[in-house]
Structures are given as structure tokens and as C-alpha cells.
Amino acid sequence: MTSPQTPDNARRKFIAAAGAGVAGLGFTAIAPGLHLMAVGEANAAPTPRKAGEPANPAVRWGLLIDANKCAPGCTKCIDACHTENGVSANLPDPRQNSQWIRKIELVDRRPGKTRGHVTQLPMMCQHCAEPPCVDVCPTGASMKRADGIVLVDRHTCIGCRYCMMACPYKARSFVHAPLNDQNPEVPRGKGCVESCTLCVHRIDKGQQPACVESCPEGAMTFGDLNDADSAIAKRIASVPTTQVRADLRLNPGVRYEGL
Amino acid sequence: MFTPKPRQEENLFYLLAAIGGLVSAIGLAAALYMEHEGHVVTGMNNQIVWGLPHVVAIFLIVAASGVLNVASMGSVFGRVLYKSRAPLSGLLGIAMLSGGLAIIMLDLGRADRIIVAMTHFNPTSVFGWNVILYPVFYAFVGIYLWTMMERRMNPYSKVAGLATFIWRIILTTGTGSIFAFLVARQAYGSALLAPMFIIMSFSWGLAVFIVVQATMYAWNGMQLPPLILQRMKNLLATLVAAVLYFTAVLHLVSAYFAKQTAFEYFILVDSEFSGMFWIGQVLIGSLLPLTLLFHPATRAKVAWINLAAALVIVGAFFQLYVFIIGGQAFPLEMFPGYDIKSSFFDGTVDHYSARLPEILLALGGVAIAFTMTTIGVRALHFLPQDDIAELEAAIRITD
């Protein structure tokens, strides 16, 4: 299996040949006031991907979440995600509603000084480098994009829910009822499994995931884990961070600080 | 036991076939309803993603491969007693697999995309392997039945039987591996599950065979020769004990691992599944049948042995229910050492109640197996014909 870190040489050569000028043009076109200088700063916006252009295998998108900054009672990231992706919670049995992102409250029960300490954090698809959901999917509908984003192809998902059995993060939801008023950029479907897409449609437009943008505390950092100069990679290199269920060695793309 | 007269027999056959067909059709209608409304009409949710349909389907699939062992013992291992039972065993294998697969396929969120499952293959998926394992199983059993029933093909039946036997071992390994390859949940992810499923299939398959055989003999007003039942009962007892042994080892090893103790306590002591485990699986499904099969007052009586086999089947459902539903009801342990809660019910033990559509779908699958068996048995004359003298001679040699 090709690891997400493995560079696609042909693709790299093409990008190099395209030249910095073109890249710069593309970059400045994202949003006024955003320059190449911004790369390396917190939450740099990604380079937009043109239609028909494959995802860049040299990149691995990830999130760093600072649990210390995650405010109790705040659900802005959840609201933003569910608005952006058209996820609603209206079924009589709440356990059947989709939740692409949720707030988890942890109370430390380990002996020691931190016992009783309460931590909040958002939990979503961890975009593993070795995703069990992708391994178990019979049709290959669960897949990892070249830039590390784990997605479900809604055209080939048969709704067997084996991926939900395999995911250690309870990150996936099954669409239990017919859907209305969908966001055209985020197709969903009854009978299919879904989960956080890292707002892939926004990333491809050069924007950040909706949850990251909405966090008033700046608790979430988005960026390229493979780029040593990115804010996320620098932060991960400088402070202790946690991978949830690190014992499984799935190498998640979402990391936590302050746990 | 009740034995119908010839005229009555014909009417009764049509009645049974009609009931089987009707229940199958109701199951299909339930599946269409689920397809139309979505799984919101079922008791399944985002925590317990596999429910009663999967319990029943996996029983049928596991027992389907196990029931074929009766044939294998005749053709592959040369046991005369089982040889005359091989065609019935093949038919039951095909019928039960059909019922089980029908449930699994109709429960899919997108059952209409079944063709996608056949045209898109992911080699790392155990489910993906099963997409290949099942059709090939049908082909092997079909060819095997042909070599047994077509006189010119008889010389090839041993080879066909051996191929089918090997394939069914692979198939059940595949079924057990569906759970063995799950790293996320405490209940699964053990290599022991693959061989355990094979032993379970031997036991449940033989129990189903004994019950079906008893019904057929009663239907035809015949008495199963005690010699035959004696042999089958000893084998069943051995297999029931073996399943119990595997169950004990699985839970003992799991309970030793510190990270697993909370889950084992949940399943074995403190949950709605504890009673099902001890009373349903251990007592009704294992200890009671073993007592009936070995106790001097019951071990030689046909009715008690048949009851023991029926109890093994009941116990099998309890076992799968505890394993599949209980395994999912226990919350995922994402943050060891922390209490965890969320709007998505993290850290909460879930409760599952099957609702009518999924109950009907599950019953529909059983009805498919029942109808195929009823029609097959009558149309193809699968009643075992024993040559008792030959049998006694063979048993003297093997003993």
C-alpha cells in the first residue's frame, strides 16, 4: 500500500515545472490579503485544487486540537460542521442521528494530582494513515485520498456498516432516514455511511475546515503534517501531543494537545 | 410421533411450503419497507450497527457450512453411516446459506447496490473475501450433489467432497474472521474466533441435521435405527463440549488482560447479556444437552436426543446474540482512565430492542431455508437409505 508520505515523483516534477509564479498566482487568488508569507503561520489556508486535478500525495492534511482551549458548553465547531455539511438531528431515536463531530467530556479517574480534572474536546474522524474502515470495506467505498483525507464514496457504499464496526473512534454514522435540503457540495444519502470529510470541498477551494474556522478559542490548527514548516507540524514537534488509541498504531491525522 | 397418511401428507406438504413461502414473502416485504423508510424503522442505531438480522444470518451461514460436515464424513472420511446422509446435508447447506445471505443482503443500507459488491472488490476486506467464498461454496456443493446423485459421476464424489470440505473450512474461517479482524471493539479481534467458528459450525450444523432428520423420519413413519442416532449423539456431545471449551478459553484469556476486564465483567456478570450467557448459552445450549446426551435415563431415547439437538440450536442463538449485540453494546474505550460522555452516547452502555421489520426480515431468512429444504427433500427424495448390515460391519471395523 502506498503510504501517504510517499511522494508521487511525476506529480512533484509537474508541480516543480509549473513554477513558483503559477503557484503564487493560485495562492493569492484564494482570498485577498492572504500571501505565501502566511504559510507556516497558524491555520494557513491550503492551495486550491483545480477540477480534474488529483489530490497531492506529498501533502497530509491534519488537525491539532488543544483541549485546554476547548471551552465547556461551546458547540460552535459542531454547529458550523453540521451547517456546512447539511447534517441535521431530527430522528426520534437520537442514537440514529448522524454526528460528524461531537464534543466529548472527559473526567480524569487516574490516581494522582489530575484526578477529577475535566477536559473537553471535539471528536471526529481521525483520518488515520492506516484506517481500519478502509481495510474492511468490501467495495472500496471507504477510501483514503492521496492527501490523507479518509472519505466514503457515496456511489459505491452498500451500507453494510462493517466500517462502523471497525472504527475505534465511533466516528462514522449511518444515514437512517431519507434526507432533504442537502448541501449540493456535500452529497449524502440514505442507507450509506458517512463521517467527517475534513471539509474536503472547502480544502479543495483553498479554505479551511468549517470547525477550524468557527472555533472562537483558536483551539484547532489545520495544516499539512508533512510540511515541516507548517504551523501544525512545528507545534507537534515542540509540545507533547496525543494520538487517541495510539496503541492501535493507526497514525491518526488528528492530534490532541493538553490531554 | 405424528405421521401423516398419504393424502394428508400431500396436503400437509403444500401447506408447509405455502407457509414457508408466505413467511419468506413477508420477510421480503419487511426488507422493502426498510429500504424505503431507511433503518430508522429498526432498532439498530449508530452504536449497535448490526442487530437481530445479523444474529440470525450468521447462525444460518455458520450452521450451513457445519451441516455439510455430515457429507464430508461420508465422502472424505469414508464413514458409511454418513455417506447415505450426504445429499440431505448438501441440500441443507445450500438452503441455510441462501437464507442467511438473503438476510445479510436485504439488510444492507443500499440493497439495490448488490451488483456493486460484486463488481468492486477490496482484497483487504474480509467481507470482500466472503463475496467470493459464498458463490464458490454454492458451486462446490452443487457439483458435489451432482457427483452423488448422477450415477456416472459417482467416482468423482470423493474428490468433490474433499474440495467442498476444504472450501467450507475456508468459508467458516472467513466468517469468524469478520470479527477476528476488528481492532476497535473489546469483544472481537481474537485469532481464536476463526477456529472457534469452525467448531461452532460443526456443532450447530450437526444439531440442525439431527432435528431435520428426525422430522423427516417421523413424516415418513419411520424409526431412525438406534445405532445411527447413537453415533450422531456421541459426535454432537463432543462438539458441544468443544464449543464450551473454546468459549471458556476465550473469556478466560480476555478476562486476564487488564484492558479487557471491564468488558468481561460486563458480559459475564453485570449486564442484560450475563443471563443470556449463563442461562441461554451455557445452561440451555451446552450443559443441558450434554446431560441429556450422557444421562443413562435419556441417552438412548430418540426424543431426548432430538430435544438435546434442538437445545443446542437455541443456545446457538443466545451465543450469537451475546457475542454480536453484547459486543457492540459495551462502549468503545477511547480514553482509558477517564470517564467519558458525549451527545453521541460515548461511555454509555447501549440497549438494543429489535423492532418488527428486522424481526420479520430475520424470520424471512429462516423461512427461505425452511422452504428450500421442504421442497428439496420432497422433490429429490433425500431421505437417507441405510443398509444396516453394511453399517454394522463398517462400525465393527472402525471400532
Side-chain angles (χ1 to χ4, degrees):
Chain A
M1 190 188 280
T2 313
S3 102
Q5 285 84 0
T6 310
D8 178 343
N9 287 331
R11 176 92 204 101
R12 276 200 152 173
K13 278 178 194 157
F14 171 78
I15 292 167
V22 178
L25 275 174
F27 215 75
T28 44
I30 305 161
L34 196 60
H35 304 287
L36 268 173
M37 290 299 286
V39 176
E41 301 300 321
N43 288 334
T47 312
R49 189 171 70 89
K50 293 190 188 82
E53 189 179 277
N56 184 356
V59 168
R60 183 177 179 208
W61 296 119
L63 284 177
L64 175 63
I65 296 166
D66 187 346
N68 291 325
K69 290 183 182 169
C70 187
C74 174
T75 58
K76 288 214 161 65
C77 56
I78 300 170
D79 301 339
C81 167
H82 287 182
T83 305
E84 176 68 32
N85 296 296
V87 180
S88 56
N90 50 12
L91 299 180
D93 183 348
R95 298 171 303 172
Q96 291 180 329
N97 282 322
S98 288
Q99 293 203 23
W100 288 24
I101 178 172
R102 63 196 192 268
K103 273 286 278 286
I104 281 182
E105 186 184 290
L106 298 171
V107 182
D108 199 337
R109 292 292 174 213
R110 297 170 300 176
K113 277 190 208 162
T114 57
R115 191 178 177 89
H117 179 71
V118 180
T119 311
Q120 310 264 330
L121 52 88
M123 173 61 67
M124 70 290 272
C125 171
Q126 302 287 291
H127 298 280
C128 308
E130 307 289 342
C133 56
V134 172
D135 289 338
V136 303
C137 177
T139 64
S142 273
M143 46 121 178
K144 189 177 66 177
R145 216 170 76 149
D147 52 7
I149 303 175
V150 175
L151 298 168
V152 179
D153 181 343
R154 310 297 157 82
H155 297 287
T156 46
C157 174
I158 55 172
C160 71
R161 287 104 80 201
Y162 196 20
C163 57
M164 298 174 77
M165 292 289 279
C167 175
Y169 307 108
K170 205 185 174 185
R172 294 204 155 182
S173 299
F174 179 65
V175 181
H176 282 78
L179 299 169
N180 299 306
D181 301 326
Q182 294 189 46
N183 175 356
E185 284 185 308
V186 189
R188 302 169 61 214
K190 178 191 72 179
C192 289
V193 173
E194 56 183 16
S195 58
C196 157
T197 64
L198 215 57
C199 280
V200 67
H201 60 291
R202 289 173 60 91
I203 292 174
D204 285 348
K205 284 192 286 188
Q207 299 169 331
Q208 293 173 21
C211 56
V212 176
E213 208 170 73
S214 72
C215 179
E217 312 293 337
M220 300 165 101
T221 307
F222 167 77
D224 179 7
L225 295 168
N226 286 349
D227 176 4
D229 292 328
S230 68
I232 188 170
K234 279 182 180 168
R235 186 79 185 155
I236 288 172
S238 60
V239 297
T241 57
T242 305
Q243 303 178 19
V244 181
R245 293 295 314 259
D247 58 316
L248 298 176
R249 305 209 172 177
L250 303 176
N251 187 2
V254 179
R255 311 286 171 86
Y256 291 88
E257 189 182 333
L259 267 181
Chain B
M1 239 182 219
F2 169 74
T3 305
K5 294 189 178 68
R7 182 62 192 261
Q8 257 186 331
E9 191 263 354
E10 191 170 345
N11 290 340
L12 196 57
F13 162 73
Y14 284 118
L15 180 69
L16 284 180
I19 291 172
L22 184 68
V23 179
S24 307
I26 292 172
L28 187 63
L32 286 172
Y33 177 63
M34 282 163 62
E35 171 82 9
H36 185 259
E37 298 289 324
H39 277 58
V40 68
V41 297
T42 71
M44 292 176 268
N45 58 52
N46 287 319
Q47 169 75 34
I48 297 185
V49 300
W50 287 352
L52 185 70
H54 301 80
V55 170
V56 177
I58 290 171
F59 170 79
L60 287 171
I61 290 168
V62 170
S65 64
V67 82
L68 207 66
N69 258 45
V70 172
S72 302
M73 277 187 291
S75 298
V76 182
F77 303 107
R79 304 275 165 173
V80 178
L81 152 70
Y82 294 101
K83 222 168 197 167
S84 61
R85 282 159 181 77
L88 176 60
S89 127
L91 170 70
L92 277 171
I94 285 182
M96 291 172 80
L97 186 67
S98 304
L101 288 183
I103 298 174
I104 290 279
M105 289 193 292
L106 291 171
D107 174 76
L108 292 175
R110 293 297 304 260
D112 55 313
R113 286 185 182 165
I114 194 66
I115 197 78
V116 173
M118 289 165 192
T119 52
H120 293 67
F121 177 68
N122 175 15
T124 66
S125 168
V126 182
F127 255 13
W129 305 347
N130 283 312
V131 171
I132 293 173
L133 292 172
Y134 297 135
V136 176
F137 178 85
Y138 274 112
F140 271 126
V141 179
I143 292 168
Y144 181 35
L145 279 174
W146 180 43
T147 60
M148 286 188 288
M149 302 182 82
E150 166 61 58
R151 202 158 291 171
R152 286 172 301 162
M153 296 299 290
N154 280 170
Y156 303 104
S157 89
K158 193 174 170 113
V159 178
L162 182 64
T164 309
F165 176 70
I166 293 170
W167 196 258
R168 65 126 315 208
I169 295 284
I170 296 170
L171 182 128
T172 319
T173 303
T175 313
S177 298
I178 288 173
F179 297 96
F181 278 73
L182 291 176
V183 294
R185 300 185 192 237
Q186 319 255 353
Y188 315 123
S190 165
L192 198 61
L193 292 173
M196 186 172 169
F197 266 62
I198 292 174
I199 295 296
M200 279 148 58
S201 81
F202 285 176
S203 175
W204 303 348
L206 185 59
V208 168
F209 188 88
I210 289 174
V211 170
V212 172
Q213 177 181 250
T215 314
M216 284 173 66
Y217 271 78
W219 182 278
N220 290 290
M222 291 165 62
Q223 188 78 35
L224 185 68
L227 179 72
I228 292 170
L229 200 62
Q230 203 63 22
R231 288 269 147 173
M232 296 191 121
K233 146 214 128 141
N234 288 343
L235 182 61
L236 181 65
T238 311
L239 295 171
V240 169
V243 173
L244 199 57
Y245 164 77
F246 266 87
T247 306
V249 171
L250 186 72
H251 285 290
L252 272 174
V253 173
S254 180
Y256 171 74
F257 291 173
K259 63 177 183 177
Q260 297 278 90
T261 46
F263 170 72
E264 286 299 325
Y265 186 78
F266 168 80
I267 284 288
L268 301 179
V269 182
D270 184 30
S271 70
E272 59 181 308
F273 304 100
S274 312
M276 294 184 205
F277 175 80
W278 291 108
I279 297 170
Q281 181 183 340
V282 176
L283 185 66
I284 297 175
S286 312
L287 298 180
L288 214 52
L290 283 174
T291 310
L292 290 174
L293 294 171
F294 283 129
H295 196 277
T298 53
R299 68 183 176 200
K301 300 221 169 66
V302 175
W304 288 115
I305 293 171
N306 290 336
L307 177 67
L311 289 178
V312 170
I313 296 171
V314 173
F317 279 104
F318 277 112
Q319 182 174 351
L320 283 176
Y321 196 92
V322 170
F323 180 67
I324 296 172
I325 311 292
Q328 296 173 82
F330 191 74
L332 290 175
E333 190 132 26
M334 273 183 275
F335 297 94
Y338 291 86
D339 282 350
I340 173 171
K341 68 174 178 187
S342 79
S343 59
F344 211 35
F345 309 97
D346 287 288
T348 312
V349 170
D350 208 328
H351 170 73
Y352 168 75
S353 308
R355 289 167 67 182
L356 194 60
E358 71 223 89
I359 295 172
L360 293 177
L361 171 61
L363 286 177
V366 177
I368 287 173
F370 171 81
T371 314
M372 284 178 74
T373 308
T374 306
I375 295 173
V377 159
R378 193 181 156 94
L380 296 168
H381 303 293
F382 275 153
L383 189 73
Q385 306 290 329
D386 292 304
D387 182 339
I388 296 297
E390 184 197 7
L391 196 55
E392 280 174 344
I395 286 170
R396 266 198 303 277
I397 292 165
T398 50
D399 285 350

